[in-house]
Each structure stands twice: as structure tokens, then as C-alpha cells.
């Protein structure tokens, strides 16, 4: 039976859910407060430079190919994808360099060159990541996480729970896998992929480097904004109505179910189904006030935020990669500072220079540098002072951009909160800190009948693949509830 569906927010989760529900025959309207859809899948353009200021990497592209095929297209029709090799360049101040390649044998050889015997240890670590992922994909990510019983039904045996390695932390997994301190630091970085900390996050996250090794690290020519545009095209192709530049100010409801959304232009969109592609705390604090639901979703710990810079740099940098990481000297000190709600004094710096692969992203002969460091959520930042600190720390790694900058635009946690209504500027919504984090994350089923949650703050979490998975889970739930 066809229903009217209102979706709050046109991020990736909202767009993907809209496509699935429209293909299923429903009348879907997306309401997005910003002038463009895409949510955190966003770009910044200035003086001929283009920067991906949200996701800068596409993994598991088959998830989006499935979505595009539902809309009568394919990922090859929509995007010009390049599989990156090397995937990442990692650097330390002592001159150590590690290149993770798009080939298992080549990557193992790089690990051996970095530390004799580390290639075999990497293969063992990657195989353990395979076990985690294969188990998690058919259990945790196969459906909603409304209660442990539901999860247990998807498990083949009790051993599945141990197979995903939830009892160790990423820090412990790193120590067990590698003797070399730098390689342990490399493992710990993958906790930050979900806005978490390696000494708090479960070793389950060790599946992430395996996913990159198995499915590749992809870049769509023209930038990640082309993925946003493709999702918008496909949504409109299947009949989704998209309203941008207007804000949802409330969810309307009767005593026993939602009835639609109230919009900032004074209109009401009647809908028997409302999907919130918005932060769960914003939903239950502002749009559909519910003290009990707010208390419940507040149990999920916020992910880290970040301080980012978009730098138009003159000239070329020798040896730079598309994706680069310059590690702090003392990783534990960096994470302890974040836990203490302090800006890291020697932060690990991520740098994406997509013009290495795609010359269209910068003027001829120049480079587009996107730099990101992890920060606590909700922290105030003196952006001028911290810009200088980050650039000084980068220069101490041998990469000095200070005299090459044509401009430097800055993004602080407060900007992230303002742009995306993510409390504290938490980039990934909720973190994966703690072995019960997956159960603390807000449910996809809302506090009232007819209400559903999709996106990074709800199950299964943040990042493009998980948000695409969240959309599939929610669309399937809705169809099942209507059956």
C-alpha cells in the first residue's frame, strides 16, 4: 500500500532511504535545511580549488551500485571511479614511511620493508579482520538492533559473538598483532574512523582495514560531490520530491503515531511515515520532544569532532599521496588530551590532496589540501592559533605549507554543529567507544509508531557504507511494518 513519507534531512541516509521507498511505490518528500542535499557529503569551492570537506574516500562501492540499480542506473553510469594505489601514505617524524597498497602481496611487502616479519603479521591481522567482517555483515549489519534477542536470531551460533572480537580494545588488538610501535599506532588509527579512541573502542573495528584491502579505496573523478549529485539525480528520477533551503521545525503527531512534519515556511507536510535523517538528540530535544527517548539516546557517547583546513597551495609537493597521515609522536598522549576535552598539542594530521589524482580539483600546477585533526566534541577553538599549531606540526614532519598558501579556510566543531545540527560537531554522530556501544546507539525505530531514524547517529553508525546500510535497514523495516 502506497504511503506518504516525509524525510527530515537530505543527507546520504535520507537520499538512500528515499530512493528505496519511492521505488517501493511510496510518495516521498525530503526536506533539507541547507541549499544543497548531501549532508556531510559536502564540498567547498574557492578560487578554482575544490575540497571534499566530508567523506573523502569511497569504500564498498557495490552498496551504492545496488542503490543506483534500484533507480534504473548503475554506479558505472553515474560515477567515474578510480581505485587508488597506494591507498594511504603514512609518515612519522623519525622518517619512517608506510605505504598501504591496493594489493595484498604488495601491502605485505611494504610491511616487511617497514619491519622485517611484519608482512606475515599483517596477513594474519587482515585475515582476522575478514572473519570479523563476514560475521558482522550477516549479524549486526543485516538488520535493526532493537534488542539483543533480535541480534541472537541472526547468529548461527554463540561463537559468532566472540568472532567479532568485542572483548578486546583496538589498542589491545594492535599490541597482540604487531611488535613494532609504529604499526600499533597504525592499527589504532582505525578507531578514529568512527570518531572513537583506540583504548576504548572494541577490536571489532579491526575489520575496517580489511574492508579497504578487500574492496578497495575509491575516488570518483570530480570529487565525492559527484556521489551526492548522483544520489540526488536518482532520487528525482524515481519521483522523490526534494525541498531545499527550508527547515523542519517539528514532527506533528496524534496520540498514537506521527502525522507529518511542520516546515519553517509555515506549511505542514502530511505523512503517515516520518524518517529522521537527523541527529537523534536533535530529534527528541527539538522536533518531537520526548524526555524518555532523549534520555535513552543520550546514553550513546558522542563521536569526536574535528578541526579542518582547506588550503589552496601553490606548486607541487614531492612524494605526496592522495590520502596521507602524519602521526603524532605520542598517540596515547594525544587521545588522553581528547578525553580530557583538550585540543591535541601534537595531533595526528590527515591530509587529502585529491588533485594528485584529479587535476580538475585545483588550478594547473597547484594543490588542494584538506587537513583534518581530531578534537573533542563541543570544544571552542581559536581557529587562528590552532591553524598555526597544526601547520607548524606538519612542517616538523617536513611538509611546510606556510609560505605556499593562497588561502586557508577553517572549519571548527561549532561550524560542523551549525551546518549539520550535530550536537558538539560530532562528525560521526555516536562513537563506538565501549563494548556495548552498538547497543547504546539509537534504534532505527522511533519513539512513536510511524517514526524511523536513519544515518550516523543511529544503527549501525557513521561513514558512507554504514549509512547506506542504515537506509536499507530502515526501508526494509518500513516495508515489513506495512505488510
Amino acid at each position: 500500500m502506497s504511503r506518504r513519507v516525509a524525510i527530515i534531512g537530505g543527507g546520504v541516509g535520507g537520499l538512500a532511504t528515499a530512493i528505496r521507498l519511492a521505488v517501493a511505490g511510496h510518495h516521498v518528500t525530503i526536506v533539507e535545511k541547507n541549499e544543497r542535499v548531501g549532508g556531510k557529503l559536502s564540498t567547498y569551492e574557492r578560487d578554482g580549488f575544490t575540497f571534499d570537506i566530508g567523506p573523502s574516500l569511497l569504500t564498498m562501492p557495490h552498496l551504492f551500485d545496488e542503490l543506483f540499480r534500484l533507480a534504473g542506473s548503475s554506479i558505472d553510469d553515474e560515477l567515474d571511479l578510480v581505485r587508488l594505489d597506494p591507498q594511504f601514505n603514512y609518515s612519522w617524524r623519525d622518517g619512517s614511511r608506510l605505504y598501504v597498497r591496493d594489493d595484498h602481496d604488495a601491502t605485505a611487502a611494504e610491511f616487511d620493508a617497514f619491519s622485517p616479519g611484519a608482512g606475515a603479521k599483517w596477513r594474519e591481522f587482515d585475515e582476522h579482520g575478514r572473519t570479523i567482517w563476514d560475521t558482522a555483515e550477516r549479524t549486526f549489519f543485516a538488520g535493526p538492533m532493537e534488542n539483543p534477542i533480535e541480534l541472537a536470531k541472526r547468529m548461527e551460533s554463540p561463537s559468532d559473538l566472540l568472532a567479532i572480537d568485542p572483548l578486546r580494545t583496538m589498542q589491545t588488538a594492535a599490541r597482540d598483532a604487531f611488535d613494532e610501535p609504529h604499526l600499533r599506532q597504525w592499527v589504532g588509527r582505525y578507531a578514529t574512523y568512527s570518531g572513537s579512541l583506540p583504548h576504548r573502542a572494541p577490536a571489532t573495528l579491526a575489520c575496517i582495514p580489511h574492508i579497504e584491502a578487500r574492496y578497495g579505496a575509491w575516488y570518483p573523478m570530480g570529487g565525492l560531490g559527484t556521489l551526492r549529485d548522483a544520489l540526488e539525480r536518482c532520487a528525482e528520477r524515481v519521483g522523490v520530491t526534494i525541498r531545499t533551503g527550508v527547515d523542519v521545525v517539528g514532527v506533528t503527531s496524534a496520540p498514537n503515531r506521527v502525522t507529518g512534519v511542520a516546515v519553517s515556511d509555515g506549511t505542514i507536510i502530511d505523512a503517515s511515515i516520518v524518517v529522521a535523517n537527523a541527529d537523534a538528540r536533535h530529534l527528541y530535544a527539538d522536533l518531537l520532544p520526548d524526555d524518555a527517548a532523549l534520555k535513552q539516546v543520550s546514553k550513546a557517547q558522542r563521536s569526536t569532532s574535528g578541526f579542518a583546513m582547506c588550503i589552496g597551495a601553490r606548486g607541487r609537493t614531492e612524494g605526496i599521496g592522495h590520502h596521507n597521515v602524519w602521526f603524532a609522536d605520542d598517540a596515547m598522549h594525544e587521545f588522553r588530551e581528547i578525553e580530557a576535552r583538550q585540543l591535541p598539542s601534537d595531533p595526528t594530521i590527515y591530509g587529502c590532496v585529491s588533485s594528485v589524482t584529479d587535476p580538475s580539483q585545483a588550478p594547473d600546477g597547484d594543490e588542494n589540501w584538506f587537513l583534518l585533526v581530531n578534537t573533542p566534541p563541543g570544544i571552542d577553538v581559536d581557529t587562528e592559533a590552532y591553524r598555526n599549531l597544526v601547520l607548524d606540526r606538519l612542517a616538523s614532519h617536513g611538509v611546510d605549507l606556510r609560505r605556499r598558501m593562497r588561502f586557508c579556510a577553517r572549519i571548527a566543531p561549532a561550524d560542523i554543529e551549525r551546518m549539520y545540527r550535530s550536537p558538539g560537531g560530532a562528525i560521526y554522530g555516536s562513537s563506538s567507544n565501549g563494548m556495548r556501544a552498538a547497543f547504546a546507539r539509537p534504534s532505527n525505530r522511533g519513539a512513536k509508531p510511524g517514526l524511523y531514524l536513519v544515518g550516523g547517529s543511529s544503527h549501525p553508525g557513521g561513514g558512507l557504507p554504514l549509512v547506506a546500510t542504515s537506509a536499507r535497514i530502515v526501508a526494509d523495516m518500513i516495508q515489513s511494518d506495512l505488510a
Side-chain angles (χ1 to χ4, degrees):
M1 181 183 295
S2 176
R3 299 295 178 91
R4 293 193 177 278
V5 181
I7 298 183
I8 305 169
V12 172
L15 288 165
T17 307
I19 290 170
R20 289 180 176 277
L21 293 178
V23 168
H26 302 291
H27 302 285
V28 184
T29 300
I30 292 175
V31 182
E32 168 57 50
K33 78 178 184 69
N34 293 318
E35 294 301 323
R36 301 190 72 175
V37 295
K40 296 186 183 76
L41 185 60
S42 184
T43 56
Y44 174 73
E45 298 178 18
R46 178 172 169 179
D47 300 343
F49 294 84
T50 302
F51 306 86
D52 292 316
I53 61 173
S56 58
L57 174 70
L58 179 61
T59 53
M60 304 183 72
H62 61 275
L63 297 178
F64 289 94
D65 185 50
E66 178 204 1
L67 188 64
F68 291 140
R69 288 183 183 277
L70 287 174
S73 185
S74 72
I75 200 165
D76 290 335
D77 291 337
E78 299 293 342
L79 302 173
D80 179 12
L81 288 177
V82 175
R83 189 163 179 157
L84 300 178
D85 187 18
Q87 295 181 345
F88 285 90
N89 296 0
Y90 297 98
S91 303
W92 288 263
R93 282 197 183 90
D94 62 7
S96 300
R97 300 286 186 272
L98 175 66
Y99 303 96
V100 173
R101 307 296 299 273
D102 185 40
D103 175 86
H104 275 61
D105 291 340
T107 297
E110 293 284 358
F111 273 74
D112 271 328
F114 189 88
S115 176
K121 293 177 180 178
W122 175 80
R123 288 184 188 275
E124 184 178 348
F125 180 72
D126 177 68
E127 192 58 31
H128 180 56
R130 176 187 294 274
T131 299
I132 293 172
W133 174 248
D134 287 347
T135 306
E137 188 177 32
R138 61 177 169 77
T139 55
F140 278 89
F141 302 133
M145 286 276 288
E146 295 184 84
N147 55 66
I149 295 175
E150 199 166 276
L151 174 63
K153 290 179 181 178
R154 298 196 290 266
M155 291 189 168
E156 294 177 356
S157 73
S159 63
D160 279 350
L161 192 58
L162 294 178
I164 62 171
D165 205 358
L167 302 181
R168 295 189 301 169
T169 65
M170 281 291 280
Q171 184 179 73
T172 302
R175 289 172 178 170
D176 291 345
F178 296 103
D179 300 323
E180 209 286 325
H182 291 357
L183 297 181
R184 292 175 173 178
Q185 194 173 11
W186 169 77
V187 173
R189 173 180 176 263
Y190 283 93
T192 68
Y193 262 49
S194 62
S196 310
L197 303 175
H199 59 291
R200 303 295 184 199
T204 307
L205 300 185
C207 68
I208 301 175
H210 166 73
I211 289 170
E212 291 178 348
R214 181 173 177 177
Y215 298 106
W218 298 83
Y219 171 80
M221 295 298 284
L224 270 291
T226 61
L227 174 59
R228 170 201 60 208
D229 297 341
L231 290 168
E232 183 177 21
R233 280 195 305 272
C234 285
E236 292 176 334
R237 185 182 302 139
V238 296
V240 176
T241 299
I242 300 175
R243 299 181 60 186
T244 59
V246 290
D247 202 0
V248 171
V249 296
V251 175
T252 60
S253 65
N256 61 346
R257 68 175 299 108
V258 298
T259 59
V261 296
V263 184
S264 57
D265 63 6
T267 61
I268 300 290
I269 298 176
D270 293 325
S272 59
I273 296 168
V274 174
V275 179
N277 182 208
D279 190 274
R281 297 193 194 194
H282 170 53
L283 171 65
Y284 292 127
D286 306 314
L287 304 182
L288 186 65
D290 186 319
D291 290 341
L294 181 61
K295 181 179 179 180
Q296 182 64 33
V297 301
S298 296
K299 293 178 181 178
Q301 184 177 332
R302 307 301 295 165
S303 82
T304 55
S305 186
F307 175 75
M309 295 184 286
C310 299
I311 298 173
R314 300 181 184 90
R316 299 289 176 82
T317 309
E318 184 178 355
I320 203 66
H322 189 123
H323 297 290
N324 312 268
V325 176
W326 295 270
F327 280 108
D329 287 343
D330 187 338
M332 198 63 228
H333 182 67
E334 176 186 12
F335 295 126
R336 291 295 188 198
E337 286 180 315
I338 292 174
E339 278 195 309
R341 300 196 51 75
Q342 300 170 4
L343 290 172
S345 53
D346 178 25
T348 293
I349 304 169
Y350 164 71
C352 178
V353 190
S354 61
S355 57
V356 168
T357 303
D358 184 356
S360 74
Q361 301 298 281
D364 187 36
D366 291 344
E367 295 172 336
N368 63 331
W369 280 73
F370 175 79
L371 299 178
L372 176 69
V373 302
N374 295 312
T375 74
I379 192 170
D380 291 328
V381 180
D382 181 334
T383 61
E384 180 71 16
Y386 206 56
R387 180 202 78 160
N388 294 335
L389 182 146
V390 173
L391 291 174
D392 288 347
R393 296 295 185 268
L394 185 61
S396 72
H397 281 278
V399 182
D400 194 346
L401 299 178
R402 293 172 295 191
R403 294 177 179 82
R404 295 172 50 198
M405 294 191 303
R406 292 176 56 175
F407 62 83
C408 176
R410 289 154 276 178
I411 303 171
D415 300 312
I416 298 170
E417 179 170 16
R418 174 181 51 79
M419 290 188 290
Y420 310 118
R421 287 230 176 85
S422 177
I427 294 175
Y428 303 94
S430 52
S431 80
S432 295
N433 289 333
M435 62 180 292
R436 294 190 55 81
F439 295 99
R441 190 168 283 125
S443 171
N444 301 115
R445 188 180 300 282
K448 268 186 178 290
L451 177 66
Y452 302 84
L453 282 70
V454 71
S457 78
S458 56
H459 175 69
L464 289 175
L466 295 190
V467 169
T469 300
S470 180
R472 174 185 55 76
I473 290 170
V474 167
D476 287 349
M477 285 179 69
I478 292 172
Q479 290 298 94
S480 177
D481 290 346
L482 293 175

